[in-house]
Amino acid sequence: MSENLSVTIEQRRSGARLIKFAGSLDEHNRLRELGAKIDPGAALINLSGVDRVEDSGIQPWLDWLATLESKGIKPALIACSPAVVARFNSDETFARNAIIKSFHVPYRCVACEREKLMLVHVVDMPPDPHEVPVLACDGCDAAMTCTENAEEYLAFLRRARKPGERTRNLARGSASAVSTESLKAANAPKLQERSRPSLSAYQLHDVGRNSERTLEVLQATAMTEKRFVLVLIVCLVAAVGILVLMLL
Ligand SMILES: [Zn+2]
């Protein structure tokens, strides 16, 4: 056996599989066998231990991801190593449809020459990232320097945002304006929905009652007024009649 890639599978309590890769991803692998073993469901693929990705390893890797997808598995790539991130940046299709959840950023301390990998979650990165997070050295507390060109290293993020990132992708180029608008849009209709129908229903109900009552009262008043006038006329006629009779 000359596999340069070791793969371990753990079952998590949540039911998701944690598939951990380590070593060199090249043509010497058992990915084809591994694809057949994995049942449908969620799969977290930890790539922190992948220190090399050879050109010869790309096709087996893509075929393996395709096998997972064909089984209805939605793979999420976590803790991607710098070697994997380099592939994300050089080959847009390297992650296929997998969600990239987290990756490592390599740092070095200029003062004491310590090196460190920082785990960064994609959701924590700004919408259009150009800068890596600040990291203090464990040895001398100085700010560490990213050993890669930050903008180039983070370039994959611009197309990798997948979990619920549709709006952020649309907002690109005018992030602040769009987010304000979306905030307004999110707030305004809610307020209207909450206040207007209940208020108007209440008002309509009340106004309806009032107007009905007023109408009834008005009608009643009109009726009594008519009767009163009629009675008055009858009385007057009667009085006039009596007067005429008395004079005669
Ligand atoms: Zn240091």
Side-chain angles (χ1 to χ4, degrees):
M1 289 293 159
S2 61
E3 285 101 40
N4 299 318
L5 185 74
S6 79
V7 182
T8 54
I9 305 175
E10 283 173 33
Q11 191 77 32
R12 287 208 162 175
R13 276 185 200 170
S14 62
R17 257 68 41 79
L18 177 66
I19 305 163
K20 201 166 183 180
F21 281 46
S24 174
L25 179 60
D26 55 24
E27 74 271 35
H28 304 293
N29 58 68
R30 283 181 171 184
L31 288 178
R32 198 182 287 262
E33 259 175 71
L34 182 66
K37 278 184 195 169
I38 297 169
D39 304 320
L44 292 171
I45 302 166
N46 184 313
L47 299 173
S48 63
V50 177
D51 49 23
R52 283 176 75 85
V53 181
E54 303 288 351
D55 290 342
S56 60
I58 291 177
Q59 200 52 53
W61 161 257
L62 293 176
D63 291 345
W64 183 66
L65 285 180
T67 307
L68 296 189
E69 283 167 28
S70 70
K71 287 181 158 195
I73 298 170
K74 287 182 179 171
L77 310 181
I78 60 168
C80 302
S81 69
V84 173
V85 171
R87 281 292 172 178
F88 290 151
N89 285 321
S90 64
D91 184 352
E92 282 190 26
T93 62
F94 187 68
R96 268 189 69 97
N97 296 316
I99 295 164
I100 301 169
K101 283 201 163 178
S102 58
F103 60 99
H104 280 111
V105 181
Y107 289 85
R108 192 166 191 276
C109 178
V110 185
C112 69
E113 299 196 333
R114 272 174 198 255
E115 289 187 343
K116 196 178 178 182
L117 288 173
M118 184 189 192
L119 183 66
V120 176
H121 292 271
V122 172
V123 288
D124 295 336
M125 293 298 287
D128 206 356
H130 293 294
E131 286 174 22
V132 292
V134 177
L135 181 66
C137 175
D138 292 333
C140 67
D141 213 32
M144 296 184 94
T145 316
C146 179
T147 58
E148 303 286 331
N149 175 311
E151 195 172 342
E152 284 173 17
Y153 192 77
L154 300 173
F156 76 98
L157 284 178
R158 284 180 214 138
R159 52 171 191 270
R161 293 188 179 278
K162 280 178 184 163
E165 295 283 333
R166 238 185 130 74
T167 47
R168 235 188 260 187
N169 278 338
L170 288 171
R172 186 166 302 139
S174 57
S176 59
V178 175
S179 64
T180 318
E181 266 170 37
S182 58
L183 262 176
K184 276 181 198 164
N187 286 334
K190 262 186 212 162
L191 277 170
Q192 279 179 348
E193 272 166 30
R194 273 183 195 164
S195 57
R196 212 193 250 167
S198 55
L199 253 177
S200 62
Y202 176 75
Q203 282 171 339
L204 269 173
H205 190 62
D206 221 357
V207 164
R209 269 185 167 181
N210 273 347
S211 62
E212 273 166 31
R213 254 185 224 158
T214 318
L215 213 71
E216 277 170 21
V217 172
L218 278 171
Q219 281 172 343
T221 317
M223 286 295 281
T224 36
E225 269 173 11
K226 266 184 196 171
R227 272 180 206 163
F228 180 74
V229 169
L230 268 172
V231 169
L232 206 71
I233 289 166
V234 169
C235 285
L236 270 170
V237 170
V240 168
I242 289 164
L243 266 170
V244 168
L245 277 172
M246 280 175 76
L247 285 169
L248 286 173

